[in-house]
């Protein structure tokens, strides 16, 4: 702890000097500042990324994550006009006195028609060519909800997989493999709180309910200094804050799950709430089928096992406006997957019976208390207290009730449980300081208390003579501190730079791991519509994910860096170009990026090792460390407004690994190395009530390891498989088309949207995994089937229907 305090003091002093230098650029006396919030006029929801522009000078800014903006302009005797514009909303022009500043509460009205293309004329709204940021994509929520979905479940992560540089692990999975990285290298934030496992149903669905979300942003590279702790990406998701004007609800009924979201004012214009819930009914739907199958085998009703699976999510948030300068937010999320199998021998009304219950469960719990405070017209503060927990557990419980020779009823109980979890407590403060239109300064710090339990085994018994009551596996504690400062500085009209520095430290088991992380991004305008960009970021990660499965099983274990296992490190270099296009009266954004990312201290299980029997006492002996390299190029064309919206993405990429103790120390392809990856997303609104959307994806097949030969070593030794180089075989290429047709019906109380979807519309047999099957020779010695590997495909064409509503 003392080491960490010394490190924090030293780094705080250094960053304090950096920040003070930026803040020392005080504006001239003859300037005025206009600041405030921009909100939705109908709901009171804060709007993120709204352009607030002074058309006369071309100076402008954008609202931050909490809807706040600050714009300082030269004072004048005449009237100042400001323009607020946001995609999907009507522009608003404000006429203000120029001799004094003012705090504003801007309310934008939604566009009158869903088909309206809101055109911004004569403004300097920061579009893709003007921004210094690289590898950052913001997908409008209306597009996320319109993209075809598996079983009708709208999924944020599956939409993000359609972006260049982002891959799915396998058919139907929602894991994110960003620019050659693995899922644990993604920092997934829900209202600023990390979510460690974002998957339901063994990876087929994410934990995020799109109805409860306000903003989704993915950062793949060029990370600003305010983000830290991961190597590959940041997924920053903001929940809605609750309608402050009137009660509102929405939800949906699908084939396997239903959901509902309710929001409204607790006190109009002062406090609001939002709650959102979702649950599957897979266990209810399959129960009659399982019972019928068991009945056909002659198993009595009382002895038929109960087998089922379900998951649920619950979000809640309260938003309280304490004063014009202060807001308080309290939010929470909980979600869990549960698989159970319950077996019983003996009639239900019998005193004598035997039962065995087996359960597998995993889930997240997060909570956050956030305070927004406007310190003055140029300085905005956000303080965040958070708790996050992820836990996986599997257990079996056995009970036997029998009469002894003395005819007395005796009960024996035994239980065995394996669990793994990670818990974080965190405090974080962020400051946004806008001294001049040419500077946007951010600085702050965070402290995290980590508690790891990589693996623990618990056993309990009612038999006092066996004495099996024990727990193996103890907790490991770690402390992480991060301090940062950055400035988005407009050097000239053509050159803009975002420079920053982040200092991290991690203390565990008496060892301190410091990390100095410079961040730099720049853009140079060749014309008003074309820009060249470049960025560099150094990142570190103090936690690892031990994974032995490619299909999102919850048996993956979170472990800390230790004196024996070093933190992960990476650098990312990127160059690119961006252009705003106008074609046939429609606006498009085009970006091209190339990147190179070397990674150090990656870990993998040793050959033959897995999570079984892994505890905090021995996991370090089951892993090996190595290096990785990822590089490639991306093309992205996006259209966000008009009757037809969507995007085209293409990625050409390489991702390799080298571990001294794997593959004989030779370089090998990462399992999800994918040379070519392409996606097409089209959403067309025929009318305000009829919409057709479609996606098409293509990807090079995943790399896997197969046996090159099989040898019989005799009856005493069995057979031997000669495996070739690691991941040296490619499965067939993957491609798929999905379609969705939605019809909206207006009702007196709201509207109903009926959607019909086709997943894998042309029923492509995409490979999921491969297995070896022995050949078959008949009695005459004729070969009927040759031995070899066979492909398993998961999903053929899958139709689904869902009914969504809002009121």
């Amino acid at each position: 702890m003392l080491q960490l305090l010394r490190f924090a003091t030293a780094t705080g002093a250094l960053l304090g000097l950096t920040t003070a230098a930026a803040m020392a650029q005080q504006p001239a006396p003859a300037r005025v500042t206009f600041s405030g919030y921009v909100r939705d006029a109908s709901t009171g929801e804060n709007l993120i990324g709204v352009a607030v522009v002074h058309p006369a000078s071309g100076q402008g800014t954008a609202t931050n994550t909490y809807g706040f903006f600050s714009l300082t302009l030269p004072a004048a005797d005449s009237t100042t006009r400001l323009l607020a514009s946001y995609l999907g909303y009507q522009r608003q022009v404000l006429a203000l006195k120029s001799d004094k500043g003012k705090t504003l509460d801007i309310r934008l009205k939604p566009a009158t028609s869903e088909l309206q293309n809101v055109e911004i004329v004569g403004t300097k709204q920061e579009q893709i060519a003007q921004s210094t940021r690289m590898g950052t994509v913001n997908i409008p929520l209306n597009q996320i909800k319109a993209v075809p979905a598996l079983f009708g479940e709208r999924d944020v992560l599956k939409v993000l997989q359609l972006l260049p540089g982002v891959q799915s692990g396998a058919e139907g999975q929602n894991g994110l493999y960003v620019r050659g990285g693995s899922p644990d290298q993604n920092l997934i934030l829900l209202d600023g709180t990390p979510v460690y496992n974002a998957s339901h149903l063994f990876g087929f669905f994410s934990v995020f309910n799109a109805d409860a979300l306000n903003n989704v942003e993915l950062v793949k590279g060029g990370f600003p200094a305010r983000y830290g702790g991961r190597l590959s990406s940041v997924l920053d998701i903001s929940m809605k804050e609750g309608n402050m004007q009137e009660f509102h609800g929405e939800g949906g009924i699908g084939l396997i799950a239903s959901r509902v979201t309710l929001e409204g004012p607790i006190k109009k214009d002062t406090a609001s709430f939002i709650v959102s819930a979702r649950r599957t009914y897979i266990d209810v739907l399959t129960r009659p089928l399982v019972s019928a199958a068991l009945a056909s085998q002659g198993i009595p009703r009382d002895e038929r096992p109960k087998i089922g699976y379900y998951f649920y999510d619950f979000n809640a948030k309260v938003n309280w406006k304490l004063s014009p300068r202060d807001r308080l937010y309290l939010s929470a999320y909980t979600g869990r997957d549960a698989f159970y199998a319950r077996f019983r021998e003996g009639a239900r009304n019998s005193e004598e019976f035997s039962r065995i219950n087996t359960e597998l469960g995993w889930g997240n719990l997060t909570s956050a208390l956030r305070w927004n405070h406007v310190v003055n017209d140029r300085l905005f503060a956000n303080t965040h207290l958070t708790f996050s927990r992820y836990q996986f557990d599997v257990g079996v419980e056995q009970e036997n009730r029998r009469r002894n020779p003395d005819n007395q009823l005796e009960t024996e109980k035994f239980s065995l449980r394996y669990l793994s979890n990670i818990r974080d407590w965190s405090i974080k403060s962020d400051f946004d300081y806008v001294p001049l239109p040419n500077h946007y300064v951010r600085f702050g710090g965070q402290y995290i208390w980590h508690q790891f339990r990589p693996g623990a085994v618990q056993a309990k018994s009612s038999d006092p003579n066996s004495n099996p009551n024990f727990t193996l596996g103890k907790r490991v504690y770690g402390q992480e501190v991060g301090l940062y400062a950055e400035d988005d500085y407009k050097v000239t009209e053509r050159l803009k730079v975002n420079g920053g520095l982040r200092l991290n430290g991690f203390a565990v088991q008496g060892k301190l791991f410091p990390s100095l992380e410079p961040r730099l991004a720049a853009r140079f305008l060749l014309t008003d519509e074309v820009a060249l960009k470049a960025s560099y970021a150094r990142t570190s990660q103090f936690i690892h994910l031990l994974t032995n499965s490619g299909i999102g099983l919850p048996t993956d274990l979170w472990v800390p860096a230790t004196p024996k296992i070093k933190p992960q490190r990476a650098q990312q270099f990127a160059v690119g170009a961006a252009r705003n296009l106008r074609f046939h009266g429609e606006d498009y954004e085009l970006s091209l990026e190339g990147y190179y990312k070397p990674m150090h201290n990656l870990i993998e299980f040793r050959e033959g090792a897995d999570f079984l029997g892994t505890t905090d006492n021995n996991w370090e002996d089951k892993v090996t460390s190595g290096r990785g390299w990822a590089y490639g190029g991306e093309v992205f064309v996006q259209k966000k407004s008009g009757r037809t919206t969507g995007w085209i993405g293409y990625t050409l990429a390489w991702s390799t690994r080298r571990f001294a103790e794997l593959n004989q120390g030779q370089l090998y392809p990462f399992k999800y190395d994918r040379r070519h990856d392409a996606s097409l997303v089209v959403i067309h609104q025929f009318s305000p009530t009829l919409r057709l959307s479609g996606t098409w994806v293509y990807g090079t097949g995943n790399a896997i390891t197969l046996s090159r030969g099989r040898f019989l070593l005799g009856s005493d030794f069995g057979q031997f498989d000669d495996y070739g180089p690691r991941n040296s075989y490619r499965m067939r290429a993957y491609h798929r088309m999905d379609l969705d047709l939605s019809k909206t019906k207006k009702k007196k109380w709201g509207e109903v949207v009926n959607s019909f979807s086709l997943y894998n519309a042309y029923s492509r047999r995409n490979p999921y995994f491969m297995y070896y099957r022995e050949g078959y020779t008949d009695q005459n010695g004729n070969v009927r089937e040759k031995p070899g590997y066979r492909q398993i495909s998961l999903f053929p064409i899958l139709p689904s229907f869902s009914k969504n509503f809002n009121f």
Side-chain angles (χ1 to χ4, degrees), residues 133-136 179 219-224 520-521 535-537 572 574:
R133 301 183 67 178
M134 296 187 67
T136 300
R179 291 187 172 178
V219 185
K220 300 178 293 181
F223 305 105
L520 181 65
S535 67
Y536 168 78
Q572 186 171 151

Side-chain angles (χ1 to χ4, degrees), residues 117 337 447 491 553 676 733 745:
N117 185 353
D337 291 65
Y447 171 80
V491 183
L553 291 178
H676 304 282
K745 292 184 178 181

Side-chain angles (χ1 to χ4, degrees), residues 174-324:
N174 63 20
L176 299 181
Y177 295 80
V178 181
R179 291 187 172 178
S182 52
D184 65 305
Q185 295 175 352
N186 305 315
L187 177 61
I188 300 178
L189 299 173
L190 179 61
D191 267 355
T193 307
V195 177
Y196 281 96
N197 187 313
S199 298
H200 281 313
L201 191 56
F202 304 96
F204 286 98
F205 300 104
S206 77
V207 301
F208 304 112
N209 185 346
D211 293 342
L213 305 183
N214 180 34
N215 189 69
V216 177
E217 183 178 80
L218 177 68
V219 185
K220 300 178 293 181
F223 305 105
R226 58 186 178 274
Y227 293 124
R230 298 294 189 277
L231 302 189
S232 290
S233 77
V234 178
L235 177 56
D236 198 348
I237 299 177
S238 301
M239 279 183 60
K240 290 179 180 177
E241 298 177 350
N243 194 318
M244 278 202 169
Q245 304 301 315
E246 59 185 8
F247 182 77
H248 175 70
E250 61 182 308
I253 301 172
L255 289 180
I256 65 169
S258 292
R259 66 189 189 278
V260 64
T261 300
L262 303 174
E263 57 179 320
I266 299 174
K267 183 179 181 181
K268 195 171 182 179
D269 287 327
T270 300
S272 64
F273 77 93
I274 180 171
V275 293
S276 177
R278 176 176 60 163
R279 191 194 191 278
T280 61
Y281 25 77
I282 302 173
D283 52 338
V284 178
L285 294 176
T286 59
R287 191 173 299 161
L289 302 177
V290 173
S291 181
L294 296 174
S296 66
Q297 299 175 20
I299 300 176
R301 179 182 294 273
D302 288 350
E303 296 185 5
R304 294 173 193 169
K306 292 183 178 180
I307 302 173
Y309 165 84
Y310 66 90
F311 71 77
Y312 69 85
D313 295 305
F314 180 78
N315 297 81
K317 189 173 185 178
V318 175
N319 167 23
W320 185 14
K321 185 179 179 182
L322 301 175
S323 72

Side-chain angles (χ1 to χ4, degrees), residues 26-94:
Q26 297 296 329
R31 290 182 177 273
V32 294
T33 299
F34 301 100
S35 64
Y37 290 87
V38 182
R39 301 188 174 97
D40 185 302
S42 59
T43 66
E45 191 82 31
N46 289 336
L47 297 178
I48 301 170
V50 177
V52 181
V53 182
H54 182 229
S57 65
Q59 300 286 359
T61 188
T63 56
N64 66 8
T65 309
Y66 313 103
F68 178 80
F69 75 94
S70 176
L71 182 60
T72 300
L73 300 169
D77 296 332
S78 59
T79 299
T80 293
R81 292 183 179 274
L82 296 183
L83 179 64
S85 58
Y86 193 53
L87 188 66
Y89 286 78
Q90 298 178 24
R91 307 184 289 169
Q92 187 174 142
V93 179
L94 299 93

Side-chain angles (χ1 to χ4, degrees), residues 146-447:
V147 170
L150 178 63
F151 297 122
E153 289 297 305
R154 311 298 181 187
D155 197 314
V156 172
L157 298 189
K158 282 191 170 58
V159 175
L160 296 176
Q161 290 173 353
L162 300 172
L163 300 175
V166 183
Q167 300 172 15
S168 63
E171 172 80 67
Q173 302 297 294
N174 63 20
L176 299 181
Y177 295 80
V178 181
R179 291 187 172 178
S182 52
D184 65 305
Q185 295 175 352
N186 305 315
L187 177 61
I188 300 178
L189 299 173
L190 179 61
D191 267 355
T193 307
V195 177
Y196 281 96
N197 187 313
S199 298
H200 281 313
L201 191 56
F202 304 96
F204 286 98
F205 300 104
S206 77
V207 301
F208 304 112
N209 185 346
D211 293 342
L213 305 183
N214 180 34
N215 189 69
V216 177
E217 183 178 80
L218 177 68
V219 185
K220 300 178 293 181
F223 305 105
R226 58 186 178 274
Y227 293 124
R230 298 294 189 277
L231 302 189
S232 290
S233 77
V234 178
L235 177 56
D236 198 348
I237 299 177
S238 301
M239 279 183 60
K240 290 179 180 177
E241 298 177 350
N243 194 318
M244 278 202 169
Q245 304 301 315
E246 59 185 8
F247 182 77
H248 175 70
E250 61 182 308
I253 301 172
L255 289 180
I256 65 169
S258 292
R259 66 189 189 278
V260 64
T261 300
L262 303 174
E263 57 179 320
I266 299 174
K267 183 179 181 181
K268 195 171 182 179
D269 287 327
T270 300
S272 64
F273 77 93
I274 180 171
V275 293
S276 177
R278 176 176 60 163
R279 191 194 191 278
T280 61
Y281 25 77
I282 302 173
D283 52 338
V284 178
L285 294 176
T286 59
R287 191 173 299 161
L289 302 177
V290 173
S291 181
L294 296 174
S296 66
Q297 299 175 20
I299 300 176
R301 179 182 294 273
D302 288 350
E303 296 185 5
R304 294 173 193 169
K306 292 183 178 180
I307 302 173
Y309 165 84
Y310 66 90
F311 71 77
Y312 69 85
D313 295 305
F314 180 78
N315 297 81
K317 189 173 185 178
V318 175
N319 167 23
W320 185 14
K321 185 179 179 182
L322 301 175
S323 72
R325 290 183 175 268
D326 297 274
R327 282 208 175 200
L328 195 66
Y329 301 88
L330 179 62
S331 60
Y333 164 80
T334 183
R336 184 170 175 81
D337 291 65
F339 171 81
Y340 57 87
R342 299 165 186 165
F343 303 88
R344 178 187 173 102
E345 292 183 2
R348 295 192 180 278
N349 56 359
S350 173
E351 292 182 335
E352 296 184 69
F353 63 86
S354 296
R355 67 174 181 87
I356 298 177
N357 293 342
T358 302
E359 293 187 353
L360 168 65
W362 66 97
N364 298 279
L365 173 65
T366 71
S367 58
L369 178 64
R370 190 175 80 220
W371 172 39
N372 288 170
H373 175 59
V374 181
V375 181
N376 56 49
D377 293 341
R378 303 186 187 99
L379 183 62
F380 178 88
N382 176 61
T383 301
H384 215 161
L385 296 173
T386 66
F387 169 76
S388 179
R389 186 204 69 188
Y390 168 70
Q391 179 161 308
F392 152 71
D393 55 81
V394 57
V396 59
E397 181 182 285
Q398 183 174 354
E399 180 180 1
N400 296 314
R401 185 175 293 183
R402 295 286 184 268
R403 291 191 178 275
N404 61 21
D406 298 328
N407 201 32
Q408 294 178 335
L409 201 63
E410 292 184 345
T411 301
E412 295 179 353
K413 291 183 178 180
F414 176 78
S415 65
L416 184 66
R417 185 185 181 205
Y418 179 89
L419 62 89
S420 175
N421 61 39
I422 178 174
R423 300 180 183 182
D424 287 350
W425 290 263
S426 170
I427 181 170
K428 182 181 181 182
S429 288
D430 300 291
F431 297 87
D432 289 18
Y433 178 60
V434 191
L436 295 169
N438 288 348
H439 288 273
Y440 198 125
V441 180
R442 292 180 173 93
F443 60 96
Q446 181 177 22
Y447 171 80

Side-chain angles (χ1 to χ4, degrees), residues 124-136:
K124 293 277 188 166
Q125 181 180 10
E126 187 170 73
Q127 297 176 309
I128 188 171
Q130 281 76 32
S131 174
T132 55
R133 301 183 67 178
M134 296 187 67
T136 300

